[in-house]
Amino acid sequence: MSAQYSDRKYVIIAIFSSIILIFLARLFYIQVIDDQYKLTARNQAFRYMTDYPARGNIFDRKGRRLVYNQAAYDLMVIPRQVKDFDTAEFCTIIGIDKDQFEKKMLKAILPPNSSRKPSIFEKEISVEHSAILQERLYKFQGFFLQPRTLRKYPEPIAGHLLGYVGEVSEKITDTSSYYRDGDYIGISGMEKAYEIPLRGIKGTHIEVVDVHNRPMGSYMNGIYDTIAVAGKDLVCSLDAVLQEYGEKLMQNKIGSIVAIDPSTGEILAFVSSPGYDPNLLIGSTLPKNFRLLQQDSLKPLFNRALMASYPPGSTFKLVMSLVGQNEKVISKSTTFFCAGGYNYGGARPLKCDAHHGSLDLTAGISRSCNTYFCNVFRSVMDNKKYKKMEDVFTVWRNYAISFGIGAHLNTDIPNELRGSLPTIERYNKIFGEHRWHTSTIISLAIGQGELGITPLQNANVVCIIANKGFYYIPHTVKSIGKNPNDPSLLRFKEKHYAQVTDTAYYNVVIEAMNEVVKHGTAAASQIPGIDYCAKTGTAENKRVINGKVIQLKDHSMFIAFAPKENPKIAIAVTVENAGWGASWAAPIASLMIEKYLTDSVSRPEIEKKMLDADIIHTNIIGKQKGY
Amino acid sequence: MREQKTIFQNIDWVMTGLFLALVVLGWMNIYAAVYNDEHNSIFDISQKYGKQMLWITGAIIIALVVLIIDANFFTAFPYPMYIISTIMLIAVIFFGREISGSHSWFRFGDFGLQPAEFGKFAVGLALAKYMSGLNIHAADLKTKAIAFFIILFPAGIIVMEKEAGTALVYIAFIFVLFREGFSGNFLLGGFFTILLLILALLVNKIVLVIVLAIIAIAIGLFIWVSSRNKKKAKRGLLGVFAILVIASFAVFGVDTAFSKMKGHQKTRINVFLGKEVDKEMKKKAGYNINQSLIAIGSGGVAGKGFLQGTQTKYEFVPEQSTDFIFCTVGEEWGFLGCTFILSLFLALILRIIFVAERQRSAFSRIYGYGVASILFFHITVNVGMTIGLAPVIGIPLPFFSYGGSSLWAFTILLFVFIKLDSNRLLILR
């Protein structure tokens, strides 16, 4: 019988072997060809967790902390993983009621959130609450705590400059591959400008979870993980003590102080008043406080030092002196006669404050004579070397630009205003082509008219004079991490030259500015033991109120650098609607200079007067000036 | 006739080696499947892999005992063993512990014994004894009836234990009968029966019967036209008609039989067939197959590496150490590992067939085919289930799956054959 059917073994072997071959073919398909299972396996067993690095701290130039991080936790939820739990207990711990709970839960499920993905259930749980929660979290499946860092400011200063951090907008998440919903990003100031070094680099780690979503450790000992890189600390150029002092001096005043070290371009103080406590714009309190600050009629969010444009007033006379000398139409000894005004052929002459009589350039500057500078302007404009008004105007304009007027300085603080420097086109539009000439635009001579300059630009002009011909781009960061030569900082180490380079011309102006302090308009603001140079300014300002052009009280302006030899600080102070430059801006500037250079103040009575002065709440509408 | 000098004399080392390889590989994969860091010693007997080590030790002792026992014992007493086994199968229905709905386990404290696993061995022996008897002719109706009785009687009891999956294994003996001269129609019949049952569940029954009828008429016409001997043709036609009637009954009978199946079993089969079932049930049963596919599919060409599996280790795959142990192979060793393991199994089966064919004794040959068929059926259903080619029927992968009963039963099954083979030159049966 066995021999009879022995061939049947081949049938059986064939059946057995072919089944195994079919299995191998099937295995080849699902394991080698089809990727679907590999993807599903990853989605099931892997959680891609983001590691947020600590944001860099910011220190002032002397190592004092300006911004640091404070720990907080976001309570996250993955709705799908939520199992039945004691809602009442849960709500009590985080301090919400049942309605809120349901709302938050719904929000976590509905688009753009998803019940499969983690989303924020409750933001910024305090450290105490999170400790309680952490202990009981095992009862609340699907919830977990994600550490977050909130910015904290030990002193409530420099809010405008430091900027703030907030949740990233949809516009950014749509275009950036780095940011995801709920991430934080620097929104203004240094936080925005230095976002990349400050934020560091997010890391991800793959966490393997079991079927019950319990974390089972890292995948393959983390060989596919990327490690988060901590943000770098910044050393800010600010002097925190000077900044704080400046903000105090400017309390109850509208205006700004910009102080720069002319030898480096580092910003030492950057005050915009009224300001705000940067601690208001943190985390979940940000939107509410931001709205309140926005609604404030004094516009505390507005960075006046960077974004307000004022007519430079008399400080522009310094630039005119340099341009006149460089064009060789005036010299130190050029004299003009002042009879109390400059008659440019209009109905009324451009007035001077006094009958100055015969003045040379030094006296013209130190006594701030309008007549003198109208004559300087005319000399420049009527230079025979230029055939057409447009040509000479362009020459003049280029001088102004080279002094950083009417152009972006490209500082590292975002949203810098260019200010206004009139163009040929603009005058053509106002007066008609070829219908304007020197006397039409004579008010430019004294820094009025169509000129607008920001306090930062004003301070930069002072730096150029202090440096006798060049400036470094004003900036706020000394070093990134420990590296002062970070590539992004190299542009701040380049000298930018004004079109006037002859130091002799500067010496004339500097002597005159020194005279301003010694015997001129700023004589009341002398600092014992410090020989410095300054120029007062009084900028007219008009505003349309109820359809009528109203002459408002002048802006008090003052620029200075100190000491005269080897300058360490250049400063521009603007106090809006405060009147004479000598009365408010000058003492404030002198106090700042003294504080910075000597670390003390020798004139307490002036200091007290400045600290106590409340200029905001006095009448800002000045008497009508008729001309 | 000479006596054996040692029990290892004439042992087939190929089969023994493959057995040891599979057992050790199975142990490693159980270790990987239920691995946890707290108990990372493979010898930790509080864990399944530690227990499996004890089962393996037991299996080796059993193998030695089988080799020591005189081969005549197995040839002399198949019927008493068959009877004892059958009594045990019946007894377990009344005295066994109920485990998830089925009465198939004797429990002695921590230790469990499943008579159904050993029943295969008894049936294999009894079938070999009967079929190797004198005056047995495959063509005789009596032979057929008794052979089928030997196979189906214990299977029927096992169905009553509600272990339909295990009972199904007995179908494997059809290969043995085929080898011994039963008509190939039984093989075809078995194949078509399975096909028909599956179709009956899938397709509208009336449509299926009409299609069957059309095929039957076509075959009938072909027989009528092509044959000259009209008498023979008439008989052929009668046969075709009879088959059609039986098939139709079977088709309509499936529903009845099916509706009597246990809930979970029904769902498993429905899921395999892709039919809409109660959503929640489907979710659960379909989940198993899907997770199994994900685990194996994610292994890729070379796998994730030993102990690196995520799907099997972290309980995504159900029963990962028993019925779904092949998932661990697929996930951690990839296509190459699967190919290797399946090759080992195929090598073992082919070796058994080769060795069976060299026996002078019909008893040994028939028994060998029984062993090969049982192993083959288990592998086919178990692996087929994990890769979605067979319905989810909970039967173990021989030598691999965690568990004492099945490992010991397969060890006895195989080593009795090795023992018989070692004696092939000594005794002529």
Side-chain angles (χ1 to χ4, degrees), chain A residues 304-325:
Chain A
R304 291 174 165 82
L306 190 70
M307 300 172 72
S309 167
Y310 305 96
S314 303
T315 57
F316 191 68
K317 289 170 186 166
L318 304 175
V319 177
M320 280 314 302
S321 315
L322 293 165
V323 172
Q325 290 181 84

Side-chain angles (χ1 to χ4, degrees), chain B residues 105-125:
Chain B
W105 288 84
F106 284 120
R107 304 288 306 185
F108 312 100
D110 263 357
F111 183 79
L113 192 86
Q114 198 178 17
E117 289 294 342
F118 298 92
K120 292 169 234 168
F121 162 65
V123 169
L125 277 182

